[in-house]
Amino acid sequence: GTVPMIGLPLLLSLATLALAAAHQPATDGPKDTDGVERVLLAHVDSGAGFGDKMQTYRMILALASRTKRTAVLPPFQTTIVDYSLLKNVDFAKDGLPGLQKALRKHARQNNEWVGSFTLPRSTWLVPVDRWFNMSKLQKISSISVRTLAAWHAASGGEVDLALVPTKQHGCMPFHDHCETTPLKHNVALHRSLHTLHVATVECDSSHEEHVRETGDPYSGFEDRLLATLQKPARQSTPVLALDGFCLAMHLPVTDSKKQQIAAAFQFNDNVMRIVDRFLEERHIKHYIAVHWRRSDVLLDHSQYYQHHTPARVVRTLHQQLQPLLSGGPRIDAVVLLTDNFLDKELLAFRDLVQQQFSLPVHRFAAGADLSLLPTPPATLSSSTLTPPIESGLGPDSRAWLADLVAIDIALGARADWFAWTSGGSFYSHFIVQQRANLNLSPDTNVQLALFQHEADEL
């Protein structure tokens, strides 16, 4: 039957990534003439979202390819925000002021100053091989790849040289090693629940100098970092780490190698079996997947996301998609992929889809069986949830919530039709990439015309 839409907590994190093969393939990475493997590892704990973290993985692989090193990928750090405090807000009636009023109310209840009040959240580390097929990642990218856990278990975490950006332009909090001296020896860096024993920490000022001279922090970032790595002394270093560089900055998929890397991230069989079971249990063979990006309404000063109401989303979906459905297979359902935490909007979406398309709405929700995935990700931190998340997933439910983003992306990838609401969403474009990997026609991908300037036209 249809997944109940009432009382669902937020199922997607603001920033999530990576899980897959429980199997870590053996690697035989690039070696020097003396037989020593050359390794590049990186660690960035920015507060960025899914897209930025995927860009970080792509950047590590691109740099490893160009420097002929084995790429060591850190786990994906994801933060799960508990929006249940806001789920009963009537956004259609009260709008953004209604959300702000609810935040003020809960701030007072928690004896916090409203300006500093944040929703309860927890942070988890998700290994890259929990979602993604590591064998395909290596084969398609033609790059030797290891997870941080596998490399650390084999090496003991011994690093010859760690490069850290100078304070002004590093990603917090790792540039603190450059505050007093440009060079340090025998430093222990604690990263992603692992300890790295670093022989030398060296501060790199090339990015800061470029920004000081040009005022442009973006142009040529990859080439500057590559030049830093290819200096003779560094090029010969066996294990080299980048610690604190903002590796998500502007990595356009322009050349064939970057396209190869982008296509290499494919979900493993465990993730796809969960998707198959979800569809089979609901007797869904053909469906429309809709990614409705909504939680950004809390941060939306331009009012762009405020116009993505249930009525506008469903009306535009019907206008753009209905003419394309004739002549194709009978559609069984709409599968909703969303971070919308507003119960009334979820109910309205369900009712409007049933009216416009005569189709049920399904959602991979809390309480779903994720037993095919291995042990939940490790926790870094957790604030007290008031009230606790009600999910039926047991005491580690917040960890499982981090996994659900992978299932939603895979559901979007498998759909007969995929529609999305935000043109700038890396998440949606990642689904489009996954669909291309499955050889689905680009004509089945539909960006909904929901821009603010069209408000009077729709």
Side-chain angles (χ1 to χ4, degrees):
T2 301
V3 175
M5 304 295 282
I6 300 176
L8 291 179
L10 173 71
L11 299 180
L12 300 181
S13 67
L14 293 179
T16 304
L17 167 91
L19 310 92
H23 174 69
Q24 173 72 34
T27 60
D28 188 15
K31 294 179 172 61
D32 284 327
T33 54
D34 59 0
V36 177
E37 184 179 23
R38 301 171 70 247
V39 171
L40 176 68
L41 62 145
H43 187 81
V44 177
D45 281 352
S46 65
F50 174 79
D52 288 325
K53 288 172 180 171
M54 283 305 304
Q55 290 280 48
T56 295
Y57 281 134
R58 291 181 181 181
M59 176 68 89
I60 295 171
L61 289 177
L63 291 170
S65 174
R66 296 179 71 178
T67 57
K68 296 181 173 55
R69 290 177 176 271
T70 291
V72 174
L73 299 183
F76 183 77
Q77 180 173 313
T78 179
T79 298
I80 306 299
V81 181
D82 175 22
Y83 287 101
S84 62
L85 302 177
L86 306 177
K87 68 178 183 177
N88 294 321
V89 173
D90 188 342
F91 192 80
K93 176 182 177 182
D94 301 323
L96 189 58
L99 289 173
Q100 294 168 338
K101 181 179 179 181
L103 285 172
R104 289 194 295 270
K105 173 184 175 182
H106 291 291
R108 290 193 298 270
Q109 289 177 348
N110 287 273
N111 297 315
E112 293 187 42
W113 177 57
V114 67
S116 63
F117 179 72
T118 57
L119 291 166
R121 61 196 63 215
S122 56
T123 302
W124 301 85
L125 294 175
V126 184
V128 67
D129 61 341
R130 185 173 167 82
W131 279 358
F132 294 110
N133 186 316
M134 295 297 286
S135 296
K136 284 187 177 180
L137 179 59
Q138 295 187 113
K139 182 177 180 180
I140 296 173
S141 69
S142 298
I143 300 169
S144 176
V145 184
R146 295 186 189 181
T147 64
L148 177 62
W151 170 81
H152 193 276
S155 68
E158 299 292 333
V159 176
D160 298 294
L161 174 65
L163 294 177
V164 181
T166 46
K167 180 176 181 179
Q168 187 174 353
H169 299 289
C171 284
M172 290 288 286
F174 305 117
H175 56 243
D176 56 349
H177 287 280
C178 291
E179 289 183 351
T180 56
T181 178
L183 201 65
K184 291 186 178 181
H185 299 284
N186 301 319
V187 176
L189 299 180
H190 303 287
R191 303 291 182 257
S192 301
L193 302 181
H194 292 86
T195 299
L196 306 181
H197 305 283
V198 184
T200 303
V201 173
E202 183 176 341
C203 298
D204 180 78
S205 62
S206 59
H207 183 62
E208 182 176 358
E209 292 168 359
H210 172 83
V211 174
R212 188 164 50 241
E213 293 171 2
T214 67
D216 181 1
Y218 305 114
S219 65
F221 174 76
E222 181 185 357
D223 289 335
R224 287 197 308 278
L225 191 52
L226 181 65
T228 296
L229 295 175
Q230 290 180 330
K231 290 182 178 179
R234 295 169 182 172
Q235 197 167 13
S236 61
T237 300
V239 181
L240 198 156
L242 298 174
D243 195 62
F245 286 88
C246 300
L247 299 181
M249 281 205 306
H250 297 267
L251 181 62
V253 183
T254 51
D255 59 47
S256 58
K257 187 61 183 181
K258 290 187 175 68
Q259 293 170 356
Q260 186 180 1
I261 290 171
F265 285 92
Q266 299 186 20
F267 290 117
N268 66 19
D269 291 342
N270 289 336
V271 171
M272 301 314 296
R273 278 195 289 266
I274 292 171
V275 168
D276 289 339
R277 185 165 59 194
F278 171 81
L279 296 173
E280 289 169 3
E281 289 175 349
R282 289 152 184 81
H283 308 290
I284 300 173
K285 292 184 178 179
H286 302 284
Y287 62 99
I288 302 165
V290 179
H291 176 219
W292 181 14
R293 183 168 172 168
R294 192 61 167 148
S295 70
D296 285 346
V297 72
L298 275 171
L299 309 173
D300 183 15
H301 301 294
S302 67
Q303 299 188 353
Y304 173 83
Y305 290 102
Q306 295 184 45
H307 289 285
H308 295 188
T309 61
R312 185 175 301 282
V313 170
V314 177
R315 183 165 64 244
T316 309
L317 181 68
H318 188 267
Q319 289 173 351
Q320 293 183 231
L321 204 56
Q322 190 65 34
L324 304 176
L325 297 179
S326 59
R330 183 181 67 85
I331 299 298
D332 300 315
V334 169
V335 175
L336 179 60
L337 324 173
T338 189
D339 59 1
N340 195 334
F341 51 84
L342 299 166
D343 280 358
K344 291 184 178 180
E345 289 202 343
L346 294 170
L347 288 169
F349 180 91
R350 180 197 65 185
D351 294 342
L352 289 166
V353 166
Q354 290 173 342
Q355 292 171 16
Q356 294 286 327
F357 290 90
S358 299
L359 292 173
V361 174
H362 293 268
R363 186 180 179 200
F364 193 89
D369 185 2
L370 291 170
S371 59
L372 286 174
L373 294 179
T375 306
T379 180
L380 275 184
S381 64
S382 178
S383 57
T384 302
L385 296 178
T386 309
I389 291 177
E390 299 172 1
S391 69
L393 288 174
D396 292 322
S397 60
R398 283 166 287 166
W400 289 121
L401 291 175
D403 294 344
L404 295 180
V405 66
I407 311 303
D408 265 6
I409 290 174
L411 280 165
R414 292 281 296 274
D416 294 73
W417 295 89
F418 171 59
W420 68 98
T421 61
S422 176
S425 169
F426 183 99
Y427 182 100
S428 291
H429 288 286
F430 188 77
I431 293 177
V432 170
Q433 174 69 64
Q434 296 297 308
R435 293 172 64 77
N437 292 342
L438 297 174
N439 297 316
L440 294 172
S441 170
D443 294 336
T444 61
N445 305 322
V446 180
Q447 181 185 337
L448 301 181
L450 293 169
F451 299 112
Q452 183 177 354
H453 68 269
E454 297 175 335
D456 295 332
E457 299 175 15
L458 296 177

